[in-house]
Amino acid sequence: MTQSTLSEMDILPAKHSPWRNLSFVWLVPILALLVSLGVAWQNYSNKGTLITIVFQDAAGIMPNDTTIKFRDVIIGAVEDVNFTKDMSHVEVTARINKDVADTLSPETLFWVVRPEVSARGISGLSTVLSGVYLDAAWTPVTGSNARAFEGLKAAPLIRPGHEGTRIKIRSKNGTSLAPGAPVFFRGMEVGQLDTPKLSETGDSTDVEAFINAPYDKFLTSDSRFWNMAGFSVTLGPAGLDLNVASLGSLLTGGVAFENIVSGGEPVTNDTLFRLFTNEAAARDSIFTQLGTNSIKMSVIFTESVSGLASGAPVEYRGLRIGQITSIGAFIAKSATGKSKVNMRALISIDPQAFGLETDTNAEATHDFIEKLVKDGMRARLATTSIFSAALKIELADIPDAAPAVFAKDADGTPIIPSVKSELPDFTATAEGVLQRVNNLPIEEVMNQAVSLMAAIETIASAPGTQRAPDAILGLIDDARGLIGKDDTQAIPGELRSMIADLRSIVADLKNQGAAEQLASALKSFDKASADIAAASGDLPALITDLRAIATKVNNLKAEELIAAVTRVMDSTDALIGTDGAKSIPPALASALTEVEAALKELREGGAVTNTNAALASAREAADAVAVAAKTFPDVTAQLDAVISKADALLSTYGAKSTFNSETLDLLRELQAAAKSVNQLARTIERNPNSLILGR
Amino acid sequence: MENAGNARGYLTARDAGLVNCTTCGRVHPASDTECLRCGAALTSRDTKSLQKVWAWWAAGIIAFIPANTYPMLKTATLGKQTEGTLLGGIVELVHHGSIGIAAIVFFASIAIPASKFFAVAYLALGIGRPSRLSAHRRHQVYEVVEFVGRWSMIDVFVVAILAALVQLGSAASIHPGIAAVSFALSVAFTMLSAQSFDPRQIWDADKEHSK
């Protein structure tokens, strides 16, 4: 009974109020709910922002699988891959971390990272196993709401967000500028090129280059860029110079820059620079920079302009005042109605080079040049240097120039009247000497020499000569024997250079008017010696010396010749001093003095020494070319070996991938290039002169 | 009098004026409040039992949702990360043709926990109202739920073992996801829920109903 009452009582309180007896266990589901909601909310808020990227194709992009990375940190993932409405592109929808998405600038670059092998190395190797991923690069902005982007076909060479300066390089011929080619500064790689693009007008190639910080501080408005295509071969007085920058640049080319002149201001982004074909051109460019107010003129030549190229200098009294912009031919009707093809060179002239004010207008410059033309300034062709066949236009003051009008041609360009150039008269240049030596008809010369000897013999056999001492006859015999000798005839090269030397000496002498002096002096000497013939017993000794001179002449050493002549002079002096000579007519003495003076003049003029030196260096150059050419095949052989190694290496990568075939193509081209270089080297080896003579 | 009024044909401890120690099993007179053997508090009925059951049950349900929607395993193979949910994994197994394994996983991870929720809810709801199943059957259901509860942790053990074993650096690595934790919690909560249930109330309800 009691128990029953108790149990009844036990049950009833449970029905009182549910709140009073609420178990603390309820806290658990409430807590669980809160945690779950918290997690869900956090997840939702972190879900990221949807962006779309349009690609040409979706190579390897997998929904939910392909990640998007920025500086190798995952910032999102691809959610969907679809076509654009017109089916021409692929639209990739991706979810990007919210805080990252807010910094995306509209110019953000996205590209697919895949394994890539190029001359600059191998990249993206990790994606071989893990599959492709999207890489992104941008310059962070705040509060951006750009959500649609355009994807790149390939990884950009210049990525935003890197420190440095972006510049533009314009090249007239974009040869060997490969995307990603390095930019060098004093041999250091300081940046790289983007993909070259044709300029809007199509007359030049523009390529963006990125100079990494801190090297971009070396870039100034006076920096000069030049092409460093793989290797360069230059020929100069020091011989053949082969330059190979790096294997990378051998394959992709490269660009170097330097500040040739100091002072130049720091550059900003997108500054435009001109690309020169080589370092020499870049260095020369500081002289070829034309002012903004340069004026156009034309020059008409009736002769050949072979060797004249656009860009060649226009000089006035040796100072560069402009350059040739173009060369063309046109048909001119002469007064008699005959058609004739004339050559016209368009030139730009910088008034500043004349010393005019920097802001001189075109009219003032025009008037100034008109005045110069009135005073006898004429244009003519001239060679640029002794080692090249290149021509320049020289504006020279010709005192007795035929009067000419400062006319204008059909399109209104003023014409600077031209005179026939002195090009055929090459005596002043070593090239001219070599040219002439080359053109010398050796047989003719030999024949002439023989006939000269015959004439001398005739003279010698003449009754008047009969009386001359036997020594003269012996001398003539010796000379004839020398000329007739087989080995003398077998060394035409030596003879050629000897004749060249002689000719140049003679020309110099002629120029200085010494020849006439010497001739007259010798004439009087001749006359005097005839007088002496009977009078002096010491004469044979003098004759012997003269013979020695002749031998020296044969040996072609001009200095020695002069020395020998001096010695003869000394001995002649001594002779004059002897008692036997007392009776020599005063005419002889004066003749000798004249000879002495002439020789002195000759020696002091230094012309002989100069010419000799020039010839010697020319010969040295030729020898150096020959030596260099001999080593060149080794270089190409090495190159060949490198290529075949690379070939073998690549073939181990597996046969059919496109990159492989592309690289192989490239290598084959390189091989072909190496072969032609080899051929060139052989040609040079066989005939080093051809480089100097340009054939 | 109580016995006389009992139409069920069996006698409960309460009817007999006794109370059982749930800890050690010793039977005491109903007046005792403390177990003479083990010192545990003695109550003939746990009045707050139902509350606890529902509280744990709710917590279990709440934890069960993320256990199925969030990834169970995060597998990183060669830089490629994949996340798999429970259901996703089962679907994948079916796609690969491993229907047997898919069935095991499905039963162990989805069917059993879900049926436990239903069973506990059914039992809890069955108190205080007429039930189609007899009290004895319901008690059997309770015993099964209690027994099966611990086996649901297999999933969690698998994840724990995999995560511990497969750590091969960048080649392959496995990390437990949020779902693993949620699932473990869910299982623990349902076990607590089932344990909180005082099966003696089944009989009371029956009695009241029959009254």
Side-chain angles (χ1 to χ4, degrees), chain A residues 177-195:
Chain A
L177 281 189
V183 178
F184 294 100
F185 176 72
R186 298 189 187 281
M188 284 276 295
E189 195 177 326
V190 297
Q192 60 179 172
L193 299 183
D194 205 342
T195 313

Side-chain angles (χ1 to χ4, degrees), chain A residues 63-207:
Chain A
N64 300 321
D65 216 11
T66 306
T67 53
I68 299 178
K69 292 186 182 179
F70 174 59
R71 297 185 191 275
D72 264 350
V73 175
I74 295 174
I75 56 163
V78 171
E79 289 216 329
D80 196 14
V81 178
N82 248 320
F83 288 109
T84 51
K85 272 178 193 151
D86 57 356
M87 306 287 280
S88 64
H89 287 82
V90 171
E91 195 177 65
V92 172
T93 311
R95 212 170 266 284
I96 301 273
N97 292 356
K98 220 173 198 156
D99 40 351
V100 174
D102 288 341
T103 67
L104 289 177
S105 81
E107 284 90 37
T108 303
L109 304 175
F110 290 95
W111 66 95
V112 181
V113 176
R114 2 178 126 83
E116 208 173 322
V117 179
S118 67
R120 287 166 294 127
I122 299 168
S123 67
L125 212 56
S126 65
T127 58
V128 171
L129 297 169
S130 67
V132 303
Y133 64 88
L134 298 182
D135 208 344
W138 72 90
T139 325
V141 294
T142 48
S144 160
N145 51 5
R147 296 292 176 256
F149 305 96
E150 210 143 299
L152 301 173
K153 263 188 261 178
L157 296 161
I158 299 168
R159 293 173 194 185
H162 279 215
E163 291 266 316
T165 307
R166 178 190 292 264
I167 53 161
K168 206 180 248 185
I169 301 175
R170 179 162 289 176
S171 159
K172 285 287 176 198
N173 46 353
T175 46
S176 74
L177 281 189
V183 178
F184 294 100
F185 176 72
R186 298 189 187 281
M188 284 276 295
E189 195 177 326
V190 297
Q192 60 179 172
L193 299 183
D194 205 342
T195 313
K197 289 181 194 113
L198 212 58
S199 71
E200 273 176 30
T201 49
D203 61 351
S204 60
T205 320
D206 284 357
V207 59

Side-chain angles (χ1 to χ4, degrees), chain B residues 37-87:
Chain B
R37 184 158 59 192
C38 65
L42 291 177
T43 46
S44 182
R45 296 290 181 270
D46 184 359
T47 48
K48 289 178 182 172
S49 153
L50 218 51
Q51 274 190 52
K52 286 186 203 161
V53 169
W54 283 121
W56 289 121
W57 185 85
I61 287 271
I62 289 167
F64 194 61
I65 294 167
N68 280 289
T69 51
Y70 280 95
M72 192 71 151
L73 278 181
K74 288 181 179 172
T75 321
T77 323
L78 298 168
K80 220 166 139 184
Q81 191 153 12
T82 48
E83 296 180 341
T85 59
L86 261 177
L87 271 172

Side-chain angles (χ1 to χ4, degrees), chain A residues 271-567:
Chain A
T271 311
L272 185 68
F273 287 95
R274 198 184 133 191
L275 184 70
F276 295 94
T277 45
N278 53 43
E279 187 174 352
R283 289 191 182 280
D284 282 348
S285 70
I286 49 163
F287 307 111
T288 64
Q289 284 284 302
L290 292 176
T292 48
N293 55 347
S294 63
I295 62 162
K296 275 196 187 310
M297 303 232 154
S298 66
V299 183
I300 290 166
F301 295 104
T302 50
E303 60 206 309
S304 162
V305 292
S306 155
L308 197 64
S310 98
V314 176
E315 291 182 359
Y316 175 65
R317 292 189 191 164
L319 179 73
R320 187 171 180 135
I321 54 152
Q323 65 182 35
I324 294 161
T325 51
S326 70
I327 299 164
F330 73 101
I331 294 172
K333 281 225 165 90
S334 67
T336 53
K338 272 187 187 167
S339 291
K340 198 174 147 199
V341 177
N342 278 345
M343 300 297 153
R344 179 174 65 177
L346 279 174
I347 59 174
S348 286
I349 291 177
D350 187 3
Q352 288 172 58
F354 275 119
L356 297 176
E357 293 295 318
T358 46
D359 53 351
T360 310
N361 60 20
E363 259 171 58
T365 316
H366 181 270
D367 292 346
F368 177 76
I369 290 170
E370 186 168 17
K371 193 174 154 289
L372 285 178
V373 169
K374 208 172 273 173
D375 291 349
M377 185 183 80
R378 297 288 182 271
R380 67 179 176 199
L381 296 173
T383 50
T384 49
S385 81
I386 58 166
F387 282 112
S388 81
L391 296 182
K392 61 184 176 187
I393 291 180
E394 189 181 46
L395 299 181
D397 288 320
I398 295 166
D400 50 351
V405 277
F406 190 50
K408 288 192 176 181
D409 65 9
D411 44 337
T413 318
I415 303 170
I416 299 178
S418 64
V419 292
K420 199 150 173 55
S421 61
E422 295 169 348
L423 284 179
D425 197 7
F426 272 126
T427 45
T429 65
E431 199 212 12
V433 172
L434 289 164
Q435 193 101 13
R436 287 175 71 97
V437 168
N438 204 39
N439 291 342
L440 274 179
I442 301 299
E443 282 81 34
E444 216 173 287
V445 172
M446 297 298 280
N447 290 342
Q448 273 176 3
V450 169
S451 62
L452 174 67
M453 284 305 138
I456 291 172
E457 203 178 9
T458 324
I459 296 164
S461 57
T465 327
Q466 289 286 337
R467 288 199 299 273
D470 293 346
I472 291 178
L473 282 175
L475 165 65
I476 290 163
D477 283 339
D478 280 355
R480 197 164 49 184
L482 180 69
I483 291 161
K485 259 188 197 165
D486 283 351
D487 54 353
T488 311
Q489 283 180 349
I491 47 164
E494 212 180 308
L495 190 59
R496 265 152 72 167
S497 55
M498 158 188 120
I499 289 161
D501 279 358
L502 271 177
R503 286 188 91 104
S504 66
I505 293 165
V506 169
D508 278 323
L509 289 176
K510 207 191 288 175
N511 283 353
Q512 291 167 11
E516 284 89 347
Q517 265 183 325
L518 194 62
S520 65
L522 284 169
K523 209 180 264 172
S524 44
F525 179 75
D526 202 20
K527 192 160 159 268
S529 59
D531 288 345
I532 301 164
S536 180
D538 288 335
L539 200 56
L542 177 63
I543 301 288
T544 316
D545 276 345
L546 277 172
R547 205 158 92 186
I549 295 169
T551 322
K552 297 281 183 193
V553 168
N554 279 342
N555 288 345
L556 273 180
K557 300 286 180 190
E559 291 98 328
E560 282 175 35
L561 168 72
I562 291 163
V565 170
T566 316
R567 238 182 294 128

Side-chain angles (χ1 to χ4, degrees), chain A residues 236-248:
Chain A
L240 189 72
D241 193 12
L242 175 71
N243 248 320
V244 182
S246 76
L247 193 64

Side-chain angles (χ1 to χ4, degrees), chain A residues 1 3-8 10-11 14-15 18 20-30 32-34 36 39-41 43-44 62 64-65 67 69 74 126 129-131, chain B residues 1-2 14-18 29-31 44-45 47-48 50-60 62-63 66 70 77-82 178 189 196 204 207-208 211:
Chain A
M1 189 67 212
Q3 284 163 357
S4 153
T5 324
L6 271 173
S7 57
E8 288 291 330
D10 273 342
I11 295 165
K15 292 179 177 174
R20 201 191 303 163
N21 289 325
L22 212 56
S23 170
F24 68 93
V25 181
W26 279 108
L27 286 175
V28 175
I30 291 169
L33 190 67
L34 286 178
S36 299
V39 168
W41 183 81
N43 212 45
Y44 172 78
M62 308 270 279
N64 300 321
D65 216 11
T67 53
K69 292 186 182 179
I74 295 174
S126 65
L129 297 169
S130 67
Chain B
M1 90 173 201
E2 292 86 6
R14 174 178 285 223
D15 290 343
L18 297 169
S31 54
S44 182
R45 296 290 181 270
T47 48
K48 289 178 182 172
L50 218 51
Q51 274 190 52
K52 286 186 203 161
V53 169
W54 283 121
W56 289 121
W57 185 85
I62 289 167
Y70 280 95
T77 323
L78 298 168
K80 220 166 139 184
Q81 191 153 12
T82 48
I178 298 174
F189 287 155
S196 307
D204 291 342
K207 184 180 86 183
E208 264 166 39
K211 257 182 195 172

